[in-house]
Amino acid sequence: MTDAVDGKILRALQCAPRASFRLIGEVAGVSEQTAARRFHALRRAGVMRVVGLVDPAVHGDARWVARIRCRPDRVGPLADALTRRPDIAYAGLASGGSEIICVISAPVHVPRDDVLLRQLPRSASVLDVSIDLLIHPFGTQGRSDWTGYGGHLTPDEVRHVMGDRPSAPAGPPVRLTEEDTPLLDALAEDGRATHTQLADVTGWSTARVARRLDALESSGALVYDVELLAARLGFALNITLWLRVAPARLERVGEELAGHDEVAFAAAISGDSNVMAIVVCRDTEDLYRYLTTKVAAVPGIDGYGVSIRVHTLKQATSLISRGRLVPPAFA
């Protein structure tokens, strides 16, 4: 189990994933060495990973939310095959294990059924597929992450750890080249890899690494995610809310949801339910409290549905193996 110091370290990382251990220690109230030791302990335990991700838009892709209804007795092999694909993220089993919910990166300018359904393996276990376009994510990094575990920082502490980092990309995203591949592969393994470590894997100078990282990050081509295994932090219930919201209230509802401590992700999507939110709670009573207080207080929600995620299979890049976050190669 984590304590208050671990919570502040995790929160600092959500605000600034590559912040120095000196800055993280200052806002967590511990020394630089203690902050580093605590971070590495959490990472080794598989509770968290910091990963670097390429924005799908760099490759001309969009993100699609797929709900794949399956025969419960045949869902295992299909789920395993899907989660190991690099174009699929945030996968989990819901509805008692009969539904796979995942996010797929694929082009937006071609017919949905022609491309996305062809990507899915042909299997007698698939009973039904629905796919909606993820139109717009709500919130901003450092301000709209799941923080139900605690570890809150004051506004001054958030500013301190984030420094003068811009809150929005100065796009459009920088074009990637083949030379970037070793750099991006290393960051997908460890988003906090040092400039020296990245210079070793790329063969570049540390100055060139720093310049390239700055170009990729400032344009939004490279983003970072702090993956947390909520179950290891005492939060056993992970659900997806499917909400119906009037277009005039879409932005307000989405941003308000994204600011809730319980919400890990919120976005506008196509389809009858036009907002989805990933919610993390300790238990059913915690979920009931959230629905009847915070969600109930948001004006503009006309209806909702709930998918209970019974097993998380994949975060942004990590698979969940034996109760730990691990890179796909180690699962």
Side-chain angles (χ1 to χ4, degrees), residues 40-52:
H40 289 300
L42 289 167
R43 190 171 186 267
R44 283 194 305 271
V47 175
M48 59 82 65
R49 290 184 71 220
V50 180
V51 295

Side-chain angles (χ1 to χ4, degrees), residues 271-301:
D272 293 335
S273 296
N274 56 350
V275 172
M276 68 172 291
I278 308 299
V279 178
V280 182
C281 297
R282 288 190 180 276
D283 50 33
T284 55
E285 283 301 314
D286 193 22
L287 171 61
Y288 180 74
R289 176 201 55 78
Y290 174 67
L291 292 174
T292 56
T293 57
K294 290 190 174 182
V295 175
V298 180
I301 297 176

Side-chain angles (χ1 to χ4, degrees), residues 246-286:
R249 294 181 176 269
L250 196 58
E251 179 75 8
R252 179 178 174 181
V253 169
E255 290 296 330
E256 188 165 346
L257 288 169
H260 291 171
D261 290 346
E262 296 85 352
V263 173
F265 178 74
I269 61 175
S270 61
D272 293 335
S273 296
N274 56 350
V275 172
M276 68 172 291
I278 308 299
V279 178
V280 182
C281 297
R282 288 190 180 276
D283 50 33
T284 55
E285 283 301 314
D286 193 22

Side-chain angles (χ1 to χ4, degrees), residues 1-287:
M1 294 295 292
T2 58
D3 59 15
V5 171
D6 287 334
K8 287 202 165 191
I9 290 171
L10 294 175
R11 184 73 189 109
L13 288 166
Q14 288 178 320
C15 295
R18 287 183 60 83
S20 69
F21 287 121
R22 176 184 61 80
L23 282 175
I24 293 172
E26 286 172 359
V27 299
V30 296
S31 68
E32 178 179 354
Q33 293 76 16
T34 298
R37 177 174 55 81
R38 292 285 193 111
F39 166 83
H40 289 300
L42 289 167
R43 190 171 186 267
R44 283 194 305 271
V47 175
M48 59 82 65
R49 290 184 71 220
V50 180
V51 295
L53 306 170
V54 175
D55 185 339
V58 171
H59 302 298
D61 288 345
R63 288 180 292 177
W64 303 80
V65 181
R67 302 178 68 177
I68 307 165
R69 193 166 60 88
C70 310
R71 287 177 50 185
D73 61 329
R74 302 285 296 277
V75 71
L78 176 60
D80 184 64
L82 290 172
T83 55
R84 292 182 180 277
R85 288 174 37 168
D87 59 341
I88 290 182
Y90 304 106
L93 294 180
S95 305
S98 63
E99 182 181 44
I100 303 170
I101 301 175
C102 60
V103 176
I104 306 174
S105 294
V108 70
H109 59 276
V110 293
R112 177 179 59 180
D113 294 345
D114 187 44
V115 173
L116 298 181
L117 295 185
R118 192 188 307 158
Q119 288 184 346
L120 297 174
R122 296 186 181 276
S123 172
S125 65
V126 177
L127 302 176
D128 181 62
V129 178
S130 65
I131 301 174
D132 293 307
L133 179 65
L134 197 157
I135 300 171
H136 175 74
F138 296 113
T140 57
Q141 182 178 343
R143 297 177 177 87
S144 309
D145 305 285
W146 175 62
T147 55
Y149 59 86
H152 292 290
L153 302 180
T154 67
D156 286 342
E157 289 171 333
V158 170
R159 285 190 290 270
H160 182 64
V161 76
M162 293 184 72
D164 57 1
R165 186 168 60 90
S167 58
V174 168
R175 288 177 59 89
L176 303 180
T177 69
E178 288 187 7
E179 286 187 309
D180 291 317
T181 300
L183 177 75
L184 297 172
D185 286 347
L187 290 169
E189 169 67 27
D190 179 7
R192 287 182 56 83
T194 66
H195 288 177
T196 300
Q197 291 169 329
L198 295 172
D200 288 341
V201 299
T202 58
W204 300 349
S205 68
T206 55
R208 182 181 175 186
V209 167
R211 288 194 301 272
R212 190 56 177 165
L213 282 181
D214 182 64
L216 294 171
E217 293 168 0
S218 61
S219 74
L222 174 65
V223 297
Y224 298 95
D225 189 35
V226 180
E227 301 180 337
L228 300 177
L229 195 54
R232 294 283 299 277
L233 298 173
F235 291 78
L237 199 56
N238 188 312
I239 72 166
T240 303
L241 282 181
W242 311 97
L243 308 173
R244 293 192 299 276
V245 178
R249 294 181 176 269
L250 196 58
E251 179 75 8
R252 179 178 174 181
V253 169
E255 290 296 330
E256 188 165 346
L257 288 169
H260 291 171
D261 290 346
E262 296 85 352
V263 173
F265 178 74
I269 61 175
S270 61
D272 293 335
S273 296
N274 56 350
V275 172
M276 68 172 291
I278 308 299
V279 178
V280 182
C281 297
R282 288 190 180 276
D283 50 33
T284 55
E285 283 301 314
D286 193 22
L287 171 61

